[in-house]
Amino acid sequence: MVRKQDPDRNSKNKDTGKVKEIDKTTTSTGSSKVEKPTEDVDTGKADQLEEDPFEPLVEQLESLRSLLIKSAVTFVLWFLIVFATVRWWFPVVSMGADMVVFGPFEVIRFYIRTSAAMSLGLSIPFICWFLWQYVSSGMIEKKNPQLLKGSMGFMFGLFLVGIAFGYFVVHPLSYFFLIQMGERNFDVLVTADEYMSFLLITTIPFGLIFQLPLIVLFLNHIEVLDSTLMKKSRKFAYFGLLVLTAIIAPPDFFTHIITLLPMIGLYEFSIILVRRKEKRADKKKEPEA
């Protein structure tokens, strides 16, 4: 017997086949729709990386602008303080020396110039601190910020010690030595402007020179300098300090010795600080090993 095909059943099969095909197309299109956003996200990230090649440079420029602004504000504040209190510090600065001025305009010019010079000297520790923050932001690890945190007081203290050494030791010896040398053959007349220039030359450089231990610690921290290298190059360092002393101090042997001895002491003190720092670092590495 031959079975007859049911037309309704064939139509149902065709309908189910069409439904299956539609499901396949929808699933395939749905998967493509789902995959497209991921591709867009990846391409978006790539575009962002390609669009910002100068982002580090922009950040550096912003940090540099912040450094300049903070330095300028510090200088202006010190200038206003010094200029407003000029009658208080002037007798201390003059140290009883006989000075003259030529005309009223020289008075105001002297006060402005002297206030600016003293403000710059007082601003140097803060400017060095801002500069150190700018430079060391990419050099000093965030896990070891003790050197950066404790350096401000150490820096300012060394600067004050250097200024005091120049003011109480180098300046009187140099000034009176040159005055006595001039009085042998000339009638010496010292203007206020010249006296203040000489005072700044014999004080501010020592405030900077006394930053040597801090500079050495920083160079050691970034692994540029160590105690062994400093010991080996001791002779060359002494010679450099001797040349620097000859530039700063007046040309007499006694003042040279007085100026050179603390510089040599600073160098040896820097070696001791670096050596102690290296020993601490070695002790920390032993438990890890």
Side-chain angles (χ1 to χ4, degrees):
M1 295 179 65
V2 179
R3 294 181 181 180
K4 296 181 180 180
Q5 293 180 355
D6 192 358
D8 296 333
R9 186 176 179 181
N10 292 332
S11 61
K12 288 180 180 179
N13 292 331
K14 291 179 180 179
D15 294 337
T16 54
K18 290 180 180 179
V19 171
K20 290 179 179 180
E21 290 178 357
I22 293 170
D23 293 337
K24 290 180 180 180
T25 55
T26 54
T27 54
S28 63
T29 55
S31 62
S32 63
K33 289 180 181 178
V34 172
E35 291 175 356
K36 284 183 180 179
T38 57
E39 293 178 357
D40 294 338
V41 172
D42 296 336
T43 55
K45 291 180 180 179
D47 294 337
Q48 289 179 358
L49 294 174
E50 293 178 356
E51 290 177 358
D52 300 331
F54 300 105
E55 184 176 357
L57 179 60
V58 173
E59 293 178 355
Q60 291 293 328
L61 292 176
E62 290 179 354
S63 300
L64 181 60
R65 183 183 64 179
S66 176
L67 165 67
L68 296 176
I69 291 173
K70 290 187 290 187
S71 300
V73 170
T74 303
F75 174 77
V76 171
L77 290 176
W78 274 118
F79 179 83
L80 295 175
I81 293 172
V82 173
F83 190 80
T85 59
V86 62
R87 63 177 181 177
W88 296 344
W89 55 259
F90 183 76
V92 178
V93 171
S94 62
M95 299 177 67
D98 295 330
M99 295 177 288
V100 296
V101 292
F102 300 106
F105 291 105
E106 188 173 350
V107 176
I108 188 65
R109 186 170 64 248
F110 166 76
Y111 285 151
I112 292 175
R113 179 186 174 187
T114 306
S115 300
M118 293 187 64
S119 302
L120 180 61
L122 293 171
S123 302
I124 283 175
F126 300 94
I127 294 174
C128 291
W129 167 253
F130 299 146
L131 183 62
W132 193 345
Q133 283 183 325
Y134 172 74
V135 173
S136 63
S137 59
M139 295 182 180
I140 294 180
E141 300 176 357
K142 294 180 180 179
K143 296 180 181 179
N144 189 16
Q146 288 82 5
L147 178 65
L148 188 61
K149 289 181 179 179
S151 60
M152 184 59 187
F154 190 40
M155 181 187 299
F156 194 69
L158 289 174
F159 183 78
L160 291 179
V161 172
I163 293 293
F165 176 76
Y167 178 78
F168 291 107
V169 179
V170 179
H171 174 69
L173 292 174
S174 305
Y175 180 78
F176 291 110
F177 172 80
L178 294 175
I179 292 297
Q180 291 175 1
M181 180 184 294
E183 288 178 348
R184 295 175 184 176
N185 301 311
F186 306 99
D187 293 330
V188 179
L189 185 64
V190 181
T191 63
D193 199 12
E194 291 175 350
Y195 175 82
M196 188 56 62
S197 299
F198 185 80
L199 177 63
L200 295 174
I201 291 173
T202 53
T203 53
I204 297 298
F206 288 97
L208 299 177
I209 291 171
F210 272 64
Q211 303 296 320
L212 178 63
L214 199 59
I215 296 172
V216 170
L217 284 175
F218 177 73
L219 293 176
N220 176 258
H221 193 79
I222 61 176
E223 298 180 354
V224 175
L225 195 67
D226 57 3
S227 59
T228 304
L229 181 60
M230 292 181 68
K231 291 177 181 178
K232 290 181 179 180
S233 59
R234 182 182 278 120
K235 296 180 180 179
F236 300 100
Y238 287 176
F239 179 76
L241 293 176
L242 180 62
V243 174
L244 184 61
T245 303
I247 296 173
I248 297 175
D252 66 292
F253 181 77
F254 182 68
T255 308
H256 277 183
I257 294 299
I258 293 177
T259 308
L260 181 62
L261 288 178
M263 293 184 182
I264 295 175
L266 283 173
Y267 188 82
E268 297 297 331
F269 179 65
S270 302
I271 295 176
I272 294 172
L273 290 178
V274 171
R275 185 57 186 160
R276 289 181 61 185
K277 184 175 178 296
E278 290 174 350
K279 288 182 178 179
R280 292 177 183 176
D282 294 337
K283 289 181 180 179
K284 290 181 180 179
K285 290 180 181 179
E286 287 177 359
E288 295 177 358

